[in-house]
Amino acid sequence: MAKLIDGKAIAKDIRNQIKNEIRELKQNYPNFSPRLAIIQVGGREDSTCYVRQKEKAAKEVGIEFMLHKKADSITESELLTSIRELNDNPTIHGFLVQLPLPSHINEKNVVETISPKKDVDGFHAINLGNLAKRNCEPLFLPCTPKGILELLKRSGIKISGKHAVVIGRSDIVGFPVFTLLSRSDATVTLCHSKTENLPELIKTADILIVAIGKAGFVKGEWIKPGTVVIDVGTNAIEDSSKQSGVRWVGDVEFSSASAVASHISPVPGGVGPMTVAMLLQNTVESAKRFLQESRERDISLLPLKLLSPVPSDIDIASAQTPKPIKVLAEELGLTPSEYELYGKYKAKVNLSVLERLKSKKDGKYIVVTGITPTPLGEGKSTTTIGIAQALGAHLRKPTFACVRQPSQGPTFGIKGGAAGGGYAQVIPMDEFNLHLTGDIHAVVAANNLLAAAIDARMFHEKTQSDKALYSRLCPPKNGVRSFAPIMLKRLHKLGINKTNPDDLTSEEIQKLVRLDIDPDTITWQRVIDTSDRFLRKITIGQSPTEKDQTRVTGFDIAVASECMAVLALSTSLADMRERLGRMVIASSFDRGEGIKSITADDLGVGGALTVLMKDAIKPNLMQTLEGTPVFVHAGPFANIAHGNNSILADKIALKLVGVEEGEEEEKCGYVVTEAGFGADIGMEKFFNIKCRTSELVPDAVVLVATVRALKMHGGGPEVVPGKPLPEVYIKENLEMLEKGCENLVKHIQNAKMFGLPVIVAINHFITDSIAETELIRKKAIEAGANDAIPSSHWEFGGKGALELAKSIVKVTSSSTKDSKEEFKFLYNLDRSIEEKIEIIAKEMYGAAGIQLSDKAQEKIRSYTNQGFDKLPICMAKTHLSLSHDPKLKAVPKDFIVPVRDIRASVGAGFLYPLLGEMQTMPGLPTRPCFYDVDLDTETGRVYGLF
């Protein structure tokens, strides 16, 4: 008699191995959790039985199981939609659709819609095709064929050199078994229902696999003595002795075959249990693959073709072909549902990534700031990108750069593009500098909707009675009146706890419908993303239809809108909704109950603003010239706002370069983010405003300095955009440079005040001498900097910033003191408004004190009464001096900072004192940058952008 191949026992052994493997993986990676899903269409009894078996086995070994039951009547389109949802669900590692399906659904379409990466049944054409190709490996082997091979191997049966006969040519069993046996070096004959002389062919088999679907089809006399028989058939035949009325038999006549075969698998208890075991094994392999991919983050790089002299920025950018952003997204481990393509080279990343990666430890967090710059800037953006290219492309550390989106005002005005420079840029440079994905346009739309709502509300309140206003604000629908949710919010604010519009008294109606906006207190202006000095002050309401409701207002540049600051400081979509709704736009007239702040939600427009900006909250994914990832997101004005890219971009990037619990610290990546203007502005606001909200603490500060800026602080002549640099800036002058280093020293001291290590990046220009660079390095180290490194990233890309990147790695390594424990804010929020302003002025600027105007003092009293005094301070001052006066260079002494006014950005969450006249709408120069910008109409290439 043949030896029984006990599939039950072998499958049980495999399940135990899987269970132990999952337990061990969970010990090393606590969040490792394999998940299997099954879609079952209809209620066929056999399908339900099979699904239960799979569910029981999955739960037994520690695989989470999800069953999606669908009605028989489901359409093919609806089923395919459900499959795509599981494809896009990053928590599901494998799934299958239980077959067979109702006749109106095409099984081929269903199987081919399942992602090959989650096709744990192994039926997808890509997996079957790779199985058939000799030098390819499928992601998954079909479960039954894989189980058959496992039965043979675990039973000690030699396959190599043997003659195998496979009966049945289905895609589920026959063809895959044929291929797997061939791969194991057997000589294989594939037979089917139309094969002639089948008994004679079967007689030649050393190994016989039968999957033809006919009960007892193969007889014992057809089988050569000593043959190994694997019976795949499961056929129900009537048997009155059984309680169910049927018994299950295979495709081989067991009684006669077992008398001649050396080994035989029984039915049931042979192949069936193995199929389920292999499904579990495939699911675990898939989960391990997903885990590995999330850890590897292997970014393909773009080689640089360095030219000398260095061409223009746009020529360099145009000469580099970016990789498709879809490729970069996949390299980062993003699933298709986690990003949205905007053309070939840009994508938005969904906030859901944060939830999926919440268990990851954040990467290293580096903030790039600078000394007090010349009007030309000192290359913070270029340095940020250069560091990211060095860390990512040359040291092969997972690295993200996070930068702001530039306004088109400066792009077409004085400054030009802001994608970095030279061989350290974000590409495509033209798309970066222009519309990108429309975030700034969304800010413009939201800002101007709110502006229109303000004037419209004042118009309607002036021209209508309380009753008329109420009937229009709360109209009946189908004879029933109800409050909009945003109106209920205002009622609650007013202390009116009623939900039925018919229950309000005339006094309550008046409170609800009358905002009583005082036009003289309106702080909200319209915005446009163009530099246009003639919009700084305008008169509106001049049409006869406005009924003499004229008032003077103006336009700001789009990035000066509080909506942009809110976008940058929001930590979630819900948080952005709350912030937009609480933006204060004016105060009410005092009608005997005191002056009240009027918010966007009071106007009923907070929800609409959020709808306009719902896509803008998603960070924009781009790449550097060397193919490393960049988030470009938000661009708040660095004077009246905090001048940093978004919290959400930094948070997502930190997770994407972070490590799982149990991974080596050395695999931890880096996020390099930039703070606008000098360290006295951008860095101070980064710490005291952005870090308070994000609860993130950087690992180090990189302070960018240049020879030319330090010479300016040492007494050099004025630097004017558009004019050639005076000769002193391009020739060695150590005396002037040494004097100017006082500014560098003060900024190092400012950064050290927050308790973090400081690395000075000496942004090298080709006119800088070795002696000048060494002098800066010496002064920086003496002032307490952890290191000072010259960097030539503009000229050489990431390679030019390699030593700087190595210094960052060394300073932030785990072997050094944990700087995050030393981090501290400059002031406590419980301090008074005046005290907080004074602390910043004295500590950051070196002022002797502050002087508050009468207007500023009145604002302090008003904001304190309204409960805004606990907000952080966002100083609005010139970036061209440590002081309030742009003419005072180096490190001014004994000056008093005048505070002429204080304004509130309650939605963004800060107060901003005005230390001088802050220009929130740039003007165009005599020769704007747009003179050089044009388009090659044949190729579509932009040139002259910068």
Side-chain angles (χ1 to χ4, degrees), residues 421 836 911:
K836 286 181 280 196
L911 303 178

Side-chain angles (χ1 to χ4, degrees), residues 557-623:
I557 195 75
V559 293
S561 169
E562 188 178 349
C563 292
M564 179 61 85
V566 165
L567 176 67
L569 288 169
S570 294
T571 55
S572 66
L573 187 59
D575 183 45
M576 185 174 78
R577 169 64 186 89
E578 180 61 30
R579 288 173 180 270
L580 289 171
R582 71 172 185 240
M583 292 188 303
V584 174
I585 53 88
S587 297
S588 65
F589 285 111
D590 190 349
R591 304 295 189 189
E593 296 182 358
I595 298 172
K596 297 182 178 65
S597 296
I598 308 298
T599 67
D601 271 350
D602 288 328
L603 281 160
V605 74
L609 303 185
T610 311
V611 169
L612 285 170
M613 293 177 59
K614 67 180 178 64
D615 292 320
I617 198 173
K618 303 168 188 173
N620 305 297
L621 178 64
M622 296 186 76
Q623 62 194 284

Side-chain angles (χ1 to χ4, degrees), residues 638-639 641-642 681-687 689-690 874-875:
N639 292 110
H642 62 295
I681 302 179
M683 182 194 72
E684 182 270 314
K685 295 175 181 179
F686 174 85
F687 289 133
I689 299 174
K690 185 176 178 180
C874 185
M875 301 284 259

Side-chain angles (χ1 to χ4, degrees), residues 358-373:
K358 64 183 178 181
S359 63
K360 266 194 169 186
K361 181 181 176 183
D362 288 347
K364 304 284 187 181
Y365 195 28
I366 312 299
V367 59
V368 177
T369 185
I371 63 169
T372 305

Side-chain angles (χ1 to χ4, degrees), residues 466-483:
D466 293 349
K467 183 178 180 181
L469 278 169
Y470 192 49
S471 65
R472 287 176 171 84
L473 287 171
C474 194
K477 293 182 180 179
N478 299 321
V480 179
R481 287 151 62 100
S482 61
F483 291 122

Side-chain angles (χ1 to χ4, degrees), residues 1-7 10 155 254 258 262-267 269:
M1 291 291 292
K3 183 178 180 180
L4 283 181
I5 299 176
D6 191 346
I10 295 173
S155 299
F254 185 82
S258 59
S262 62
H263 296 75
I264 191 169
S265 65
V267 177

Side-chain angles (χ1 to χ4, degrees), residues 371-380 410 413-417 639 677-678 706 708-713 716-726 729 765 878-881 886-889 929 946:
I371 63 169
T372 305
T374 68
L376 302 177
E378 304 317 308
K380 287 192 306 300
I414 296 177
K415 186 181 178 188
N639 292 110
F677 290 153
T706 61
R708 73 180 182 191
L710 292 173
K711 284 181 177 178
M712 179 192 72
H713 290 294
E718 186 180 3
V719 175
V720 180
K723 290 186 178 181
L725 277 175
Y729 292 113
F765 285 61
T878 179
H879 61 290
L880 297 175
S881 171
K887 295 177 183 177
L888 299 179
K889 302 302 181 183
C929 291
F946 195 55

Side-chain angles (χ1 to χ4, degrees), residues 131 136 203 282 371 375 386 394 582 594 676 692 722 797 819 834 936:
L131 175 62
C136 293
K203 202 77 172 177
N282 279 351
I371 63 169
H394 297 271
R582 71 172 185 240
R692 283 187 199 273
S819 61
E834 183 175 353
D936 186 322

